[in-house]
Every structure is written in structure tokens, then in C-alpha cells.
Amino acid sequence: AEGIALGLVAGARLAGLPMFFGGYPITPASAILHHLSRLKEFGVTTFQAEDEIAAICSAIGASYAGQLGVTSSSGPGIALKGEAMGLAIMTELPLVIVNSQRGGPSTGLPTKTEQSDLYQAVYGRNGDAPMPVIAARSPGDAFDCAIEAVRIAVEYMTPVMLLTDGYIANAAEPWAVPDLGALTPFPVQFLDHVPEGGFKPYGRDAKLARPWVKPGTPGLLHRIGGIEKEVDTGHINYSPANHQAMTDLRQAKVNGVADRIPDQPCELGSAGAKLAIVGWGSTYGPIHQAVGRARARGQDVAHVHIRHIWPTPKNLGELLHSFDRVIVPEMNTGQLKTLLRDQFLVDAKPLNKVSGQPFTIAEIAAAIDGALAG
């Protein structure tokens, strides 16, 4: 939670924006609100709303007004925020949504860990509502992932979901304070004048992002809201051709995020190994240790860990197809496995655990031995 909070502040500074955090207490996400509330001197405003819906809507309002809007919750609260996420997608405003996953469904296991909100993050909104999704692997990695979520949100004018889980939220690790001067700024440029050719509220740049306009800017009055927008003008438009065009544009914009993220590396081993263990989020530690020990015994196994869940890195499909076998350990019933099969037609096999406890190294090692012996 502290890594997330510091990363959000760093991201807002790199974007040149004040930050508004609208939240509502829920285990295990509340600690993010607690940490951010102590950082007012860095231009952070924190607001504890009366409920989850008010929390995200206040953050959307802050983004409309020209700040970095951020909200946070766990699975049940993310479900409540779903309609407003669609509003942020329709209005095309930057927003960062942090989901500290816990055991579900419903109230589930509030104090236990799980990774079962991946479907919710990638697919869980009404309509075709694409949104970038990033997953942190450790408390320290949460800092870098928070900055990346802010970058994508402001550069592409889109909400972004950042996934952690109860294991990461309550964990700690040694962390070397980075050289802040080495971080690459991505300053926001608000549209503050009527451009040549006239103002198009939903006109787009090379990344398909629309302009960000602070309300009250002279000459730049425009409509905002959840009803379908007309191409370029942003007026209400119900026509079939326009809805097709806007749906395609929103999808293409999010798909285009893959143009500005790194290729997927192997954490251990290399492409073409007999077996790949593919993970995401907090499974990083036990997978990395199990694969490292297996390689020390001479087993031909690689570790691939995915940060950008949606869209995925451009080389991921080719990388996965280079392995003879692929196993995906997850603290759910196989959600990333299904996404990889869907997107890349790779015969990924699941290794699932939904006990509320993280994987052990021994469990991953047994799966490696079994796969290579078969």
C-alpha cells in the first residue's frame, strides 16, 4: 500500500498534475487511503466518500476538472464502481483504479488473498468497455506499476486498473529509493485555445487520445456524459454507423497501448525451453524461486511474468508458442490461463489454488517435476 501511494504521487509529479483520491474503506485496500492522507504536501487531496460509487464518481469529477483522479477498492467495491468505470471510458477521461484483490465472491474472505478479479478487470463492464490492466508482482514493484498506470491513463485519456492482492497489500520488502531524476517525465498538455480548424472535443492525436480540456476554458465548451458521443464533436449521436465507429475507436486506442510498452521478457531461462511457468501478480516470488532451483538441477524451464495484462506485450504470443509446454499458476480457477488461450491459442495448462493462501515454492516445484516427467 505504501509503494502504491508513493508511486501514485511520483506519477502525478511526472505528469505535472495535482492528485485527487476518492476512496471508501474496505479490506485490504484501506491502507492506500491512509498513506495518501499523510502526503498533502505533495499536492494530494484525499476524500473518504459515503460509498464506493461516490468515491469513483468524485475521482472522475476531479479528472474532468484537470487533476489526476484516483480511486481504490477490493473486489466487492470494484463491482460497485463498474458503471462509473464505463462513464470514464465513454467520456475518455484519465483515471487510475487500484484493486487490492481478496477472496470472493460477495464478502468472501476479506482478510485472505486471491487473484480472482482478472476477468472483472479485463471484461467486467457492460458494453464493449476496453480498459488497460496492469498487475504488480511485489510491494516494491507496486511503486513502478503505479507510475506506469498514471502514464498510460494520461497519455491515452483512459481509465486504467492496477491489480494487487491481499498478499502484496500486507507484505513488505526492502526497497531502494530510486533516483527520481532518472524517471522519465510525461507532462500533460491541456488544450487551452481553439485550434486551427476549430475545436473537436473528440478529435484524436496519433495515439487516438482526445484532448484534455479544463472546464471553463474560453471557446472550448463541450458536452460530457455517458450517452454515446458523435465522432469528433462529442454531441449525442444514436446512429448505427457512429456507434460502430466510436466503439472501434475506443478499442483501437486501448489496443494501441501495446505500442508503448516493453516486449515481454523471460525472468529466468529463455524462449524455446521445454516448459514455461507463466505467472502474474504476487505469484512471482514462489515461481521465481521454484524455477531457479529447477534450473540449478538442470531442468529446462523458464519463468515468464506478465505485468501488462491488457493489452498484452506485442511479442507475448510468439514467446508462448516457443515453449513445448506452458503452466499458469494462479490463485483462482484459471483466469489468465483462459485469457492466454483466447488471445494466442496456446495450450496453457492451469495450476490453481483458491485457499486464501499464496503458493508455496514446493507446490510450483512439484508442478515443474510433473510436467517435465510426463
Side-chain angles (χ1 to χ4, degrees):
E2 187 175 11
I4 290 282
L6 293 175
L8 289 169
V9 171
R13 284 298 182 95
L14 293 170
L17 295 171
M19 185 175 79
F20 176 93
F21 181 93
Y24 182 78
I26 185 171
T27 302
S30 299
I32 297 172
L33 171 60
H34 301 162
H35 284 296
L36 286 172
S37 69
R38 295 193 286 265
L39 299 175
K40 295 180 179 66
E41 66 270 29
F42 296 106
V44 177
T45 300
T46 52
F47 168 57
Q48 181 175 317
E50 66 268 29
D51 56 44
E52 297 283 10
I53 298 170
I56 186 172
C57 288
S58 66
I60 292 172
S63 289
Y64 173 57
Q67 298 197 17
L68 174 66
V70 182
T71 192
S72 170
S73 192
S74 299
I78 296 295
L80 287 166
K81 296 178 191 290
E83 182 183 2
M85 288 183 213
L87 176 62
I89 290 167
M90 177 63 81
T91 55
E92 299 188 51
L93 288 167
L95 180 71
V96 176
I97 305 136
V98 184
N99 180 357
S100 302
Q101 301 166 95
R102 70 189 206 185
S106 187
T107 309
L109 306 174
T111 62
K112 302 298 181 182
T113 193
E114 210 163 275
Q115 291 181 298
S116 54
D117 295 351
L118 186 142
Y119 286 159
Q120 183 186 42
V122 176
Y123 304 116
R125 292 162 293 281
N126 68 293
D128 284 297
M131 186 166 69
V133 179
I134 299 170
R137 65 177 59 172
S138 68
D141 188 52
F143 175 85
D144 296 317
C145 287
I147 293 175
E148 177 71 345
V150 174
R151 180 190 71 83
I152 293 173
V154 299
E155 287 188 353
Y156 288 85
M157 292 293 285
T158 180
V160 176
M161 188 173 290
L162 173 56
L163 296 173
T164 69
D165 60 47
Y167 184 52
I168 296 175
N170 294 305
E173 67 174 337
W175 181 64
V177 177
D179 177 5
L180 299 182
L183 299 177
T184 304
F186 38 87
V188 166
Q189 298 295 324
F190 292 99
L191 185 63
D192 58 4
H193 63 281
V194 178
E196 186 176 347
F199 172 45
K200 296 179 179 179
Y202 279 77
R204 299 178 187 277
D205 63 15
K207 301 188 297 294
L208 300 181
R210 79 175 187 91
W212 197 355
V213 180
K214 291 184 180 180
T217 304
L220 303 184
L221 184 70
H222 63 286
R223 287 176 172 83
I224 201 83
I227 298 179
E228 182 61 282
K229 303 288 177 278
E230 185 175 72
V231 173
D232 289 340
T233 70
H235 299 330
I236 293 172
N237 189 313
Y238 273 71
S239 76
N242 181 78
H243 182 54
Q244 180 77 58
M246 287 298 287
T247 300
D248 291 344
L249 280 167
R250 288 187 290 263
Q251 183 70 62
K253 180 178 74 169
V254 171
N255 288 346
V257 171
D259 294 334
R260 291 170 61 86
I261 62 177
D263 279 351
Q264 179 64 50
C266 289
E267 305 296 327
L268 291 172
S270 59
K274 290 181 180 178
L275 174 66
I277 307 298
V278 179
W280 67 282
S282 68
T283 57
Y284 178 87
I287 293 175
H288 203 68
Q289 287 295 318
V291 171
R293 295 177 189 184
R295 289 182 58 79
R297 296 192 300 269
Q299 292 176 303
D300 188 13
V301 57
H303 175 198
V304 175
H305 216 78
I306 303 173
R307 168 184 281 182
H308 292 89
I309 303 294
W310 192 266
T312 57
K314 285 189 165 183
N315 70 322
L316 182 58
E318 180 182 0
L319 178 62
L320 294 177
H321 279 287
S322 75
F323 303 113
D324 292 346
R325 304 185 70 174
V326 173
I327 294 177
V328 184
E330 300 180 79
M331 292 183 289
N332 58 46
T333 56
Q335 297 186 16
L336 179 65
K337 172 268 301 177
T338 301
L339 186 147
L340 296 178
R341 285 181 174 181
D342 167 44
Q343 293 297 307
F344 305 115
L345 299 178
V346 61
D347 187 21
K349 302 295 186 184
L351 176 62
N352 306 133
K353 183 174 183 178
V354 282
S355 64
Q357 298 293 327
F359 278 98
T360 65
I361 299 169
E363 288 168 333
I364 308 294
I368 293 171
D369 291 341
L372 292 177

